[in-house]
Amino acid sequence: MTLEELMPRISGDKAASYYIANVLREAIYRGILQENEQLLQNQLAARMGVSPIPLREALKQLEIEGLVEFRGRRGAIVSGLSLEDAREIYDMITWLEVGIMKVSFDLISNALIQEEEVLLDKMEKEEDPVKWRDMNVLFHSSLYEPADRPMTLDTIAKLRRQVDRYIRNHLKSMRKESEEQHREILAGVKAHDLERTLRALESHLVNTSKDLQAYMRHVQNHIHE
């Protein structure tokens, strides 16, 4: 898939910076724009048929999310992520999500539990790894929304965007286990068992982190061979 082919799949006002950011973010997730690839703004604007000003605003938004870097004369590039960065980001995700689950737990309704069960059914049938990623984010964030901690949720979302760009590559190796862990998290919620839920959530996030790190090590070793 090319950038031009991706654009019609993303809804929104083509002239708006948020639309351009959504397209570029999706392109990074799908590997259309590769890590450390230089983003020449004039060429990119011409390819997308957009104006340079909203494009630059979009790139600035992606810089805030950690997906793009501005490097002086080189301009913007798709940012890279080291193994150490990935480990630390997942440590932060784990601390934040376990913490907010403690606050949210007693406020989770039966209706939300039913919605989460339907979502997991859809996830387990979804073949597109980026769409699976979106459902995964929704599964987690929906459980935390009753806590009413918007800044915490925003921080978690920003951290996840940095590591989720790799999900298309390492999902296959961890998908079945991850989906089983999602079911265990929800089972703990249904049983009104906080300790079970927190244990399942932390284990799930730690295992996902380990799988991502294993994938990144494999890539690094392959490059150095």
Side-chain angles (χ1 to χ4, degrees):
M1 183 185 297
T2 66
L3 189 61
E4 291 80 359
E5 292 170 336
L6 175 63
M7 289 182 66
R9 301 186 178 198
I10 309 298
S11 60
D13 179 359
K14 187 177 178 181
S17 61
Y18 77 85
Y19 167 81
I20 299 170
N22 288 342
V23 171
L24 295 177
R25 187 185 303 108
E26 185 88 359
I28 292 170
Y29 285 162
R30 293 189 178 279
I32 298 169
L33 297 176
Q34 296 283 335
E35 190 172 302
N36 297 316
E37 181 175 341
Q38 191 170 5
L39 302 173
L40 299 174
Q41 294 180 49
N42 289 337
Q43 293 182 11
L44 198 55
R47 286 183 64 187
M48 299 182 70
V50 300
S51 299
I53 292 176
L55 172 64
R56 185 169 181 80
E57 291 173 354
L59 291 173
K60 285 292 186 181
Q61 175 58 41
L62 296 181
E63 182 185 33
I64 293 171
E65 296 175 12
L67 297 177
V68 165
E69 293 179 34
F70 282 87
R71 292 187 176 178
R73 293 181 180 178
R74 287 192 65 192
I77 67 165
V78 179
S79 64
L81 194 68
S82 69
L83 184 62
E84 293 74 20
D85 290 339
R87 182 188 303 118
E88 184 172 359
I89 288 170
Y90 250 108
D91 283 346
M92 289 189 286
I93 289 171
T94 301
W95 298 329
L96 287 171
E97 292 201 16
V98 170
I100 198 170
M101 177 63 91
K102 292 178 183 178
V103 180
S104 180
F105 187 80
D106 289 334
L107 303 172
I108 297 173
S109 67
N110 290 331
L112 177 55
I113 291 172
Q114 292 175 1
E115 290 172 7
E116 293 285 78
E117 288 179 324
V118 172
L119 179 61
L120 290 182
D121 288 341
K122 291 180 179 178
M123 278 183 69
E124 290 165 7
K125 296 174 183 176
E126 180 56 60
E127 297 182 1
D128 186 317
V130 177
K131 291 181 180 178
W132 188 96
R133 174 265 171 197
D134 293 341
M135 293 180 185
N136 180 60
V137 169
L138 181 59
F139 170 76
H140 284 270
S141 62
S142 294
L143 290 173
Y144 313 144
E145 282 178 358
D148 192 24
R149 299 293 190 276
M151 288 189 292
T152 304
L153 287 176
D154 185 56
T155 301
I156 292 170
K158 289 177 180 176
L159 292 170
R160 279 190 169 274
R161 288 188 192 109
Q162 294 184 53
V163 290
D164 281 358
R165 73 179 87 175
Y166 300 101
I167 202 160
R168 71 184 187 282
N169 294 316
H170 79 102
L171 178 59
K172 186 179 294 186
S173 65
M174 48 78 75
R175 175 167 178 161
K176 182 177 180 181
E177 183 178 14
S178 181
E179 290 174 346
E180 291 173 351
Q181 292 162 1
H182 288 152
R183 293 290 182 181
E184 175 58 19
I185 293 167
L186 197 56
V189 176
K190 289 178 68 174
H192 305 289
D193 188 332
L194 176 60
E195 292 305 315
R196 177 183 176 183
T197 302
L198 296 179
R199 187 167 57 248
L201 176 60
E202 182 172 8
S203 176
H204 168 60
L205 295 171
V206 168
N207 287 339
T208 303
S209 176
K210 288 179 178 178
D211 187 85
L212 172 59
Q213 292 173 51
Y215 162 75
M216 295 179 74
R217 287 193 196 93
H218 173 75
V219 171
Q220 290 178 359
N221 292 337
H222 181 71
I223 290 173
H224 294 144
E225 286 178 357

PDB file of all heavy atoms in Angstrom, residues 27-52:
ATOM      1  N   ALA A  27       0.290   5.662   8.313  1.00  0.00           N
ATOM      2  CA  ALA A  27       1.358   5.252   7.395  1.00  0.00           C
ATOM      3  C   ALA A  27       2.575   4.732   8.162  1.00  0.00           C
ATOM      4  O   ALA A  27       3.239   3.776   7.727  1.00  0.00           O
ATOM      5  CB  ALA A  27       1.756   6.417   6.500  1.00  0.00           C
ATOM      6  N   ILE A  28       2.862   5.344   9.305  1.00  0.00           N
ATOM      7  CA  ILE A  28       3.965   4.872  10.147  1.00  0.00           C
ATOM      8  C   ILE A  28       3.616   3.517  10.750  1.00  0.00           C
ATOM      9  O   ILE A  28       4.425   2.590  10.753  1.00  0.00           O
ATOM     10  CB  ILE A  28       4.286   5.910  11.240  1.00  0.00           C
ATOM     11  CG1 ILE A  28       4.871   7.176  10.605  1.00  0.00           C
ATOM     12  CG2 ILE A  28       5.263   5.334  12.266  1.00  0.00           C
ATOM     13  CD1 ILE A  28       5.005   8.349  11.560  1.00  0.00           C
ATOM     14  N   TYR A  29       2.383   3.384  11.258  1.00  0.00           N
ATOM     15  CA  TYR A  29       1.950   2.099  11.827  1.00  0.00           C
ATOM     16  C   TYR A  29       2.047   0.969  10.807  1.00  0.00           C
ATOM     17  O   TYR A  29       2.396  -0.164  11.137  1.00  0.00           O
ATOM     18  CB  TYR A  29       0.503   2.189  12.323  1.00  0.00           C
ATOM     19  CG  TYR A  29       0.301   2.949  13.603  1.00  0.00           C
ATOM     20  CD1 TYR A  29      -0.968   3.411  13.944  1.00  0.00           C
ATOM     21  CD2 TYR A  29       1.338   3.212  14.476  1.00  0.00           C
ATOM     22  CE1 TYR A  29      -1.187   4.117  15.121  1.00  0.00           C
ATOM     23  CE2 TYR A  29       1.134   3.920  15.643  1.00  0.00           C
ATOM     24  CZ  TYR A  29      -0.130   4.368  15.959  1.00  0.00           C
ATOM     25  OH  TYR A  29      -0.345   5.062  17.120  1.00  0.00           O
ATOM     26  N   ARG A  30       1.712   1.283   9.564  1.00  0.00           N
ATOM     27  CA  ARG A  30       1.675   0.247   8.526  1.00  0.00           C
ATOM     28  C   ARG A  30       3.022   0.062   7.831  1.00  0.00           C
ATOM     29  O   ARG A  30       3.149  -0.783   6.947  1.00  0.00           O
ATOM     30  CB  ARG A  30       0.588   0.575   7.497  1.00  0.00           C
ATOM     31  CG  ARG A  30      -0.814   0.499   8.074  1.00  0.00           C
ATOM     32  CD  ARG A  30      -1.899   0.610   7.022  1.00  0.00           C
ATOM     33  NE  ARG A  30      -3.220   0.490   7.626  1.00  0.00           N
ATOM     34  CZ  ARG A  30      -3.802  -0.677   7.951  1.00  0.00           C
ATOM     35  NH1 ARG A  30      -3.179  -1.806   7.701  1.00  0.00           N
ATOM     36  NH2 ARG A  30      -5.004  -0.691   8.506  1.00  0.00           N
ATOM     37  N   GLY A  31       4.013   0.828   8.223  1.00  0.00           N
ATOM     38  CA  GLY A  31       5.326   0.675   7.617  1.00  0.00           C
ATOM     39  C   GLY A  31       5.453   1.315   6.256  1.00  0.00           C
ATOM     40  O   GLY A  31       6.457   1.097   5.554  1.00  0.00           O
ATOM     41  N   ILE A  32       4.467   2.105   5.845  1.00  0.00           N
ATOM     42  CA  ILE A  32       4.560   2.827   4.574  1.00  0.00           C
ATOM     43  C   ILE A  32       5.652   3.882   4.693  1.00  0.00           C
ATOM     44  O   ILE A  32       6.427   4.113   3.759  1.00  0.00           O
ATOM     45  CB  ILE A  32       3.208   3.465   4.213  1.00  0.00           C
ATOM     46  CG1 ILE A  32       2.140   2.375   4.026  1.00  0.00           C
ATOM     47  CG2 ILE A  32       3.324   4.314   2.953  1.00  0.00           C
ATOM     48  CD1 ILE A  32       0.722   2.909   3.922  1.00  0.00           C
ATOM     49  N   LEU A  33       5.701   4.534   5.853  1.00  0.00           N
ATOM     50  CA  LEU A  33       6.798   5.437   6.196  1.00  0.00           C
ATOM     51  C   LEU A  33       7.662   4.716   7.221  1.00  0.00           C
ATOM     52  O   LEU A  33       7.184   4.367   8.304  1.00  0.00           O
ATOM     53  CB  LEU A  33       6.265   6.760   6.764  1.00  0.00           C
ATOM     54  CG  LEU A  33       5.402   7.602   5.812  1.00  0.00           C
ATOM     55  CD1 LEU A  33       4.854   8.821   6.535  1.00  0.00           C
ATOM     56  CD2 LEU A  33       6.190   8.017   4.580  1.00  0.00           C
ATOM     57  N   GLN A  34       8.916   4.490   6.878  1.00  0.00           N
ATOM     58  CA  GLN A  34       9.789   3.652   7.678  1.00  0.00           C
ATOM     59  C   GLN A  34      10.554   4.460   8.725  1.00  0.00           C
ATOM     60  O   GLN A  34      10.776   5.660   8.581  1.00  0.00           O
ATOM     61  CB  GLN A  34      10.796   2.941   6.768  1.00  0.00           C
ATOM     62  CG  GLN A  34      10.170   1.963   5.783  1.00  0.00           C
ATOM     63  CD  GLN A  34       9.763   0.659   6.435  1.00  0.00           C
ATOM     64  OE1 GLN A  34      10.316   0.269   7.467  1.00  0.00           O
ATOM     65  NE2 GLN A  34       8.810  -0.037   5.831  1.00  0.00           N
ATOM     66  N   GLU A  35      10.963   3.774   9.779  1.00  0.00           N
ATOM     67  CA  GLU A  35      11.789   4.364  10.818  1.00  0.00           C
ATOM     68  C   GLU A  35      13.036   5.013  10.216  1.00  0.00           C
ATOM     69  O   GLU A  35      13.694   4.432   9.349  1.00  0.00           O
ATOM     70  CB  GLU A  35      12.190   3.262  11.800  1.00  0.00           C
ATOM     71  CG  GLU A  35      12.847   3.734  13.060  1.00  0.00           C
ATOM     72  CD  GLU A  35      13.029   2.587  14.035  1.00  0.00           C
ATOM     73  OE1 GLU A  35      12.026   1.950  14.409  1.00  0.00           O
ATOM     74  OE2 GLU A  35      14.182   2.321  14.419  1.00  0.00           O
ATOM     75  N   ASN A  36      13.324   6.231  10.638  1.00  0.00           N
ATOM     76  CA  ASN A  36      14.471   7.035  10.182  1.00  0.00           C
ATOM     77  C   ASN A  36      14.329   7.549   8.748  1.00  0.00           C
ATOM     78  O   ASN A  36      15.277   8.113   8.202  1.00  0.00           O
ATOM     79  CB  ASN A  36      15.790   6.270  10.318  1.00  0.00           C
ATOM     80  CG  ASN A  36      16.108   5.947  11.773  1.00  0.00           C
ATOM     81  OD1 ASN A  36      15.959   6.804  12.652  1.00  0.00           O
ATOM     82  ND2 ASN A  36      16.525   4.719  12.037  1.00  0.00           N
ATOM     83  N   GLU A  37      13.159   7.373   8.148  1.00  0.00           N
ATOM     84  CA  GLU A  37      12.938   7.902   6.799  1.00  0.00           C
ATOM     85  C   GLU A  37      12.780   9.415   6.857  1.00  0.00           C
ATOM     86  O   GLU A  37      12.059   9.950   7.698  1.00  0.00           O
ATOM     87  CB  GLU A  37      11.688   7.276   6.190  1.00  0.00           C
ATOM     88  CG  GLU A  37      11.387   7.748   4.775  1.00  0.00           C
ATOM     89  CD  GLU A  37      10.207   7.013   4.138  1.00  0.00           C
ATOM     90  OE1 GLU A  37       9.858   5.922   4.628  1.00  0.00           O
ATOM     91  OE2 GLU A  37       9.654   7.537   3.159  1.00  0.00           O
ATOM     92  N   GLN A  38      13.466  10.111   5.943  1.00  0.00           N
ATOM     93  CA  GLN A  38      13.370  11.561   5.897  1.00  0.00           C
ATOM     94  C   GLN A  38      12.047  11.978   5.279  1.00  0.00           C
ATOM     95  O   GLN A  38      11.624  11.427   4.258  1.00  0.00           O
ATOM     96  CB  GLN A  38      14.533  12.140   5.088  1.00  0.00           C
ATOM     97  CG  GLN A  38      14.671  13.648   5.205  1.00  0.00           C
ATOM     98  CD  GLN A  38      15.962  14.166   4.588  1.00  0.00           C
ATOM     99  OE1 GLN A  38      16.712  13.401   3.980  1.00  0.00           O
ATOM    100  NE2 GLN A  38      16.224  15.449   4.750  1.00  0.00           N
ATOM    101  N   LEU A  39      11.405  12.948   5.908  1.00  0.00           N
ATOM    102  CA  LEU A  39      10.107  13.441   5.446  1.00  0.00           C
ATOM    103  C   LEU A  39      10.307  14.824   4.834  1.00  0.00           C
ATOM    104  O   LEU A  39      10.290  15.836   5.537  1.00  0.00           O
ATOM    105  CB  LEU A  39       9.124  13.496   6.623  1.00  0.00           C
ATOM    106  CG  LEU A  39       8.890  12.166   7.356  1.00  0.00           C
ATOM    107  CD1 LEU A  39       8.032  12.378   8.601  1.00  0.00           C
ATOM    108  CD2 LEU A  39       8.276  11.128   6.445  1.00  0.00           C
ATOM    109  N   LEU A  40      10.549  14.849   3.540  1.00  0.00           N
ATOM    110  CA  LEU A  40      10.755  16.111   2.837  1.00  0.00           C
ATOM    111  C   LEU A  40       9.400  16.779   2.669  1.00  0.00           C
ATOM    112  O   LEU A  40       8.533  16.296   1.948  1.00  0.00           O
ATOM    113  CB  LEU A  40      11.411  15.845   1.481  1.00  0.00           C
ATOM    114  CG  LEU A  40      12.789  15.166   1.550  1.00  0.00           C
ATOM    115  CD1 LEU A  40      13.284  14.807   0.162  1.00  0.00           C
ATOM    116  CD2 LEU A  40      13.792  16.059   2.277  1.00  0.00           C
ATOM    117  N   GLN A  41       9.212  17.909   3.338  1.00  0.00           N
ATOM    118  CA  GLN A  41       7.880  18.472   3.483  1.00  0.00           C
ATOM    119  C   GLN A  41       7.262  18.925   2.158  1.00  0.00           C
ATOM    120  O   GLN A  41       6.067  18.721   1.929  1.00  0.00           O
ATOM    121  CB  GLN A  41       7.915  19.621   4.485  1.00  0.00           C
ATOM    122  CG  GLN A  41       8.256  19.131   5.898  1.00  0.00           C
ATOM    123  CD  GLN A  41       8.294  20.242   6.919  1.00  0.00           C
ATOM    124  OE1 GLN A  41       7.383  21.062   7.001  1.00  0.00           O
ATOM    125  NE2 GLN A  41       9.350  20.287   7.704  1.00  0.00           N
ATOM    126  N   ASN A  42       8.048  19.510   1.280  1.00  0.00           N
ATOM    127  CA  ASN A  42       7.501  19.942  -0.011  1.00  0.00           C
ATOM    128  C   ASN A  42       7.044  18.747  -0.849  1.00  0.00           C
ATOM    129  O   ASN A  42       5.967  18.766  -1.449  1.00  0.00           O
ATOM    130  CB  ASN A  42       8.530  20.766  -0.781  1.00  0.00           C
ATOM    131  CG  ASN A  42       8.756  22.140  -0.163  1.00  0.00           C
ATOM    132  OD1 ASN A  42       7.886  22.645   0.559  1.00  0.00           O
ATOM    133  ND2 ASN A  42       9.889  22.740  -0.435  1.00  0.00           N
ATOM    134  N   GLN A  43       7.871  17.708  -0.860  1.00  0.00           N
ATOM    135  CA  GLN A  43       7.514  16.505  -1.617  1.00  0.00           C
ATOM    136  C   GLN A  43       6.310  15.813  -1.002  1.00  0.00           C
ATOM    137  O   GLN A  43       5.418  15.336  -1.721  1.00  0.00           O
ATOM    138  CB  GLN A  43       8.704  15.547  -1.675  1.00  0.00           C
ATOM    139  CG  GLN A  43       9.881  16.062  -2.488  1.00  0.00           C
ATOM    140  CD  GLN A  43      11.007  15.057  -2.562  1.00  0.00           C
ATOM    141  OE1 GLN A  43      10.850  13.892  -2.192  1.00  0.00           O
ATOM    142  NE2 GLN A  43      12.173  15.498  -3.039  1.00  0.00           N
ATOM    143  N   LEU A  44       6.289  15.749   0.325  1.00  0.00           N
ATOM    144  CA  LEU A  44       5.183  15.090   1.022  1.00  0.00           C
ATOM    145  C   LEU A  44       3.881  15.841   0.800  1.00  0.00           C
ATOM    146  O   LEU A  44       2.826  15.232   0.559  1.00  0.00           O
ATOM    147  CB  LEU A  44       5.513  15.005   2.517  1.00  0.00           C
ATOM    148  CG  LEU A  44       4.744  14.004   3.378  1.00  0.00           C
ATOM    149  CD1 LEU A  44       4.852  12.602   2.812  1.00  0.00           C
ATOM    150  CD2 LEU A  44       5.278  14.038   4.804  1.00  0.00           C
ATOM    151  N   ALA A  45       3.939  17.174   0.846  1.00  0.00           N
ATOM    152  CA  ALA A  45       2.740  17.979   0.605  1.00  0.00           C
ATOM    153  C   ALA A  45       2.216  17.762  -0.806  1.00  0.00           C
ATOM    154  O   ALA A  45       1.000  17.656  -1.026  1.00  0.00           O
ATOM    155  CB  ALA A  45       3.054  19.461   0.832  1.00  0.00           C
ATOM    156  N   ALA A  46       3.145  17.677  -1.772  1.00  0.00           N
ATOM    157  CA  ALA A  46       2.738  17.456  -3.157  1.00  0.00           C
ATOM    158  C   ALA A  46       2.111  16.077  -3.332  1.00  0.00           C
ATOM    159  O   ALA A  46       1.089  15.932  -4.021  1.00  0.00           O
ATOM    160  CB  ALA A  46       3.943  17.612  -4.074  1.00  0.00           C
ATOM    161  N   ARG A  47       2.686  15.065  -2.707  1.00  0.00           N
ATOM    162  CA  ARG A  47       2.146  13.703  -2.811  1.00  0.00           C
ATOM    163  C   ARG A  47       0.737  13.620  -2.225  1.00  0.00           C
ATOM    164  O   ARG A  47      -0.130  12.930  -2.758  1.00  0.00           O
ATOM    165  CB  ARG A  47       3.048  12.707  -2.082  1.00  0.00           C
ATOM    166  CG  ARG A  47       4.344  12.373  -2.762  1.00  0.00           C
ATOM    167  CD  ARG A  47       5.107  11.324  -1.974  1.00  0.00           C
ATOM    168  NE  ARG A  47       4.400  10.056  -1.924  1.00  0.00           N
ATOM    169  CZ  ARG A  47       4.788   9.019  -1.180  1.00  0.00           C
ATOM    170  NH1 ARG A  47       5.858   9.121  -0.395  1.00  0.00           N
ATOM    171  NH2 ARG A  47       4.097   7.890  -1.199  1.00  0.00           N
ATOM    172  N   MET A  48       0.537  14.327  -1.120  1.00  0.00           N
ATOM    173  CA  MET A  48      -0.745  14.249  -0.428  1.00  0.00           C
ATOM    174  C   MET A  48      -1.753  15.266  -0.953  1.00  0.00           C
ATOM    175  O   MET A  48      -2.931  15.199  -0.616  1.00  0.00           O
ATOM    176  CB  MET A  48      -0.534  14.455   1.077  1.00  0.00           C
ATOM    177  CG  MET A  48       0.361  13.414   1.735  1.00  0.00           C
ATOM    178  SD  MET A  48       0.553  13.665   3.527  1.00  0.00           S
ATOM    179  CE  MET A  48      -1.085  13.223   4.107  1.00  0.00           C
ATOM    180  N   GLY A  49      -1.277  16.212  -1.749  1.00  0.00           N
ATOM    181  CA  GLY A  49      -2.174  17.244  -2.273  1.00  0.00           C
ATOM    182  C   GLY A  49      -2.672  18.176  -1.192  1.00  0.00           C
ATOM    183  O   GLY A  49      -3.834  18.585  -1.201  1.00  0.00           O
ATOM    184  N   VAL A  50      -1.776  18.526  -0.255  1.00  0.00           N
ATOM    185  CA  VAL A  50      -2.153  19.398   0.852  1.00  0.00           C
ATOM    186  C   VAL A  50      -1.201  20.588   0.899  1.00  0.00           C
ATOM    187  O   VAL A  50      -0.145  20.594   0.270  1.00  0.00           O
ATOM    188  CB  VAL A  50      -2.119  18.645   2.201  1.00  0.00           C
ATOM    189  CG1 VAL A  50      -3.087  17.472   2.176  1.00  0.00           C
ATOM    190  CG2 VAL A  50      -0.703  18.155   2.524  1.00  0.00           C
ATOM    191  N   SER A  51      -1.556  21.586   1.684  1.00  0.00           N
ATOM    192  CA  SER A  51      -0.726  22.772   1.832  1.00  0.00           C
ATOM    193  C   SER A  51       0.391  22.515   2.841  1.00  0.00           C
ATOM    194  O   SER A  51       0.219  21.726   3.784  1.00  0.00           O
ATOM    195  CB  SER A  51      -1.571  23.964   2.292  1.00  0.00           C
ATOM    196  OG  SER A  51      -2.578  24.254   1.330  1.00  0.00           O
ATOM    197  N   PRO A  52       1.529  23.200   2.683  1.00  0.00           N
ATOM    198  CA  PRO A  52       2.661  22.991   3.597  1.00  0.00           C
ATOM    199  C   PRO A  52       2.374  23.355   5.045  1.00  0.00           C
ATOM    200  O   PRO A  52       2.894  22.715   5.957  1.00  0.00           O
ATOM    201  CB  PRO A  52       3.747  23.902   2.999  1.00  0.00           C
ATOM    202  CG  PRO A  52       3.386  24.069   1.569  1.00  0.00           C
ATOM    203  CD  PRO A  52       1.886  24.064   1.541  1.00  0.00           C
TER     204      PRO A  52
END
